[in-house]
Amino acid sequence: SDAEIYNCLCSTFSEFGLLYSLRVCENASQAEPGYYAVVKFFSAVDASRAQSATDGKTLFQHSPVKVRLCTKLNERGFHYRSYTLNSTKCQELANYYLGFNGWTKQIILLQNISGTEQLEDEEAKLLPSRNLKFLCAVEINFRNHAVHSRGVGVAEEDIENNKDPTEYIMKLRKVQKFAVQKAVSDAFQKVLLIILGNGKVAVEYRADNDESVDSLTIEELHGLIQVNDLSWTQAQQQREEEVLSDIS
């Protein structure tokens, strides 16, 4: 079955490194019955080792498999540019190479920057809809490597029925968690994990245009964020790779 093939492939290829994703598909109707799979690694080196070790081998079936390295092309034939990892993938990567105790996350700011927060209560009640907008700043610490990085994330959500308290609470929790996820992703983008030949991992901070965020106090960060609200939102939209995990 699809599930059995998926589990066997996952077990086989995970021996070579951390998997980014694994997808199992049936062959096209005009081809012979069977399956093919697309296996993505975080590391190109791991992918190359996996291909060399498994190509032409009988892994968990009787016939040998063909394993090829893919060239990332989009539908127009151009190479993909690098994208930002979402927060879930960033944390998977950190846990794999550094361990669960190898890094810590701290929320240093979670602020409501909704446009309607300046309105009087009675005036806000008259609005047919309301926009919730939160900004979050987090700090990621790699204590064993004396490295820390801060990230900022902005998330917003529209409330259809401004008089429904249940909808408001659900959207409030959703937008807060979404802002935290974006901030975590942003913080990890400034960090390089260098995997050495002996298996050891080095962590380095990669300076960016907004490196000043990492040297500010919490009070200074509050002031900077209030002034740069619009620019933070635009920066987040440009740096997103994909929709972050669904929030319930």
Side-chain angles (χ1 to χ4, degrees):
S1 66
D2 294 15
E4 291 175 341
I5 295 174
Y6 179 93
N7 292 333
C8 290
L9 287 173
C10 185
S11 175
T12 299
F13 285 99
S14 292
E15 296 180 4
F16 301 96
L18 181 62
L19 299 183
Y20 178 87
S21 65
L22 171 60
R23 183 162 53 94
V24 177
C25 307
E26 291 189 31
N27 288 340
S29 57
Q30 60 268 29
E32 295 183 3
Y35 295 85
Y36 69 93
V38 178
V39 184
K40 291 184 180 180
F41 286 85
F42 278 91
S43 166
V45 174
D46 292 342
S48 180
R49 289 194 302 110
Q51 189 271 334
S52 299
T54 58
D55 183 37
K57 303 295 194 304
T58 54
L59 302 180
F60 50 86
Q61 74 293 328
H62 298 294
S63 58
V65 298
K66 294 181 180 180
V67 183
R68 299 290 183 266
L69 291 176
C70 297
T71 302
K72 294 189 296 183
L73 298 174
N74 60 21
E75 63 275 6
R76 296 183 180 180
F78 297 105
H79 289 273
Y80 280 112
R81 58 185 176 89
S82 297
Y83 288 94
T84 300
L85 292 177
N86 64 38
S87 63
T88 301
K89 295 299 184 183
C90 289
Q91 292 174 89
E92 285 182 12
L93 197 61
N95 290 335
Y96 181 83
Y97 286 109
L98 302 174
F100 290 97
N101 297 322
W103 63 281
T104 59
K105 174 185 68 178
Q106 179 185 7
I107 298 176
I108 57 178
L109 174 67
L110 186 58
Q111 181 175 329
N112 187 340
I113 56 173
S114 306
T116 57
E117 63 182 350
Q118 298 177 352
L119 297 176
E120 295 294 336
D121 291 343
E122 293 301 323
E123 185 179 353
K125 290 179 182 179
L126 298 176
L127 296 176
S129 62
R130 182 177 179 182
N131 177 268
L132 271 178
K133 190 174 184 181
F134 269 80
L135 185 143
C136 178
V138 302
E139 182 171 283
I140 306 296
N141 280 287
F142 306 88
R143 285 177 288 187
N144 295 334
H145 302 271
V147 173
H148 77 276
S149 174
R150 287 180 179 175
V152 178
V154 177
E156 58 184 318
E157 188 80 17
D158 290 328
I159 300 177
E160 298 293 333
N161 186 357
N162 198 28
K163 296 182 180 181
D164 185 354
T166 302
E167 181 186 5
Y168 176 81
I169 293 174
M170 293 180 61
K171 292 291 182 69
L172 178 65
R173 292 176 178 175
K174 178 178 179 180
V175 75
Q176 287 177 337
K177 191 171 184 180
F178 202 13
V180 173
Q181 287 181 324
K182 287 188 173 184
V184 170
S185 177
D186 185 57
F188 270 108
Q189 307 317 310
K190 306 171 190 176
V191 176
L192 292 177
L193 298 183
I194 304 172
I195 316 303
L196 305 177
N198 58 6
K200 293 185 177 181
V201 180
V203 180
E204 290 190 4
Y205 176 80
R206 180 180 61 180
D208 205 340
N209 293 332
D210 55 356
E211 59 182 308
S212 59
V213 173
D214 292 275
S215 60
L216 296 177
T217 65
I218 295 180
E219 291 75 15
E220 292 172 335
L221 187 61
H222 271 273
L224 178 65
I225 286 172
Q226 290 172 354
V227 173
N228 294 279
D229 175 21
L230 181 59
S231 61
W232 283 123
T233 306
Q234 293 172 338
Q236 288 295 322
Q237 293 173 347
Q238 294 172 356
R239 298 176 67 175
E240 288 178 10
E241 172 200 13
E242 55 187 318
V243 176
L244 301 184
S245 56
D246 292 338
I247 306 166
S248 57

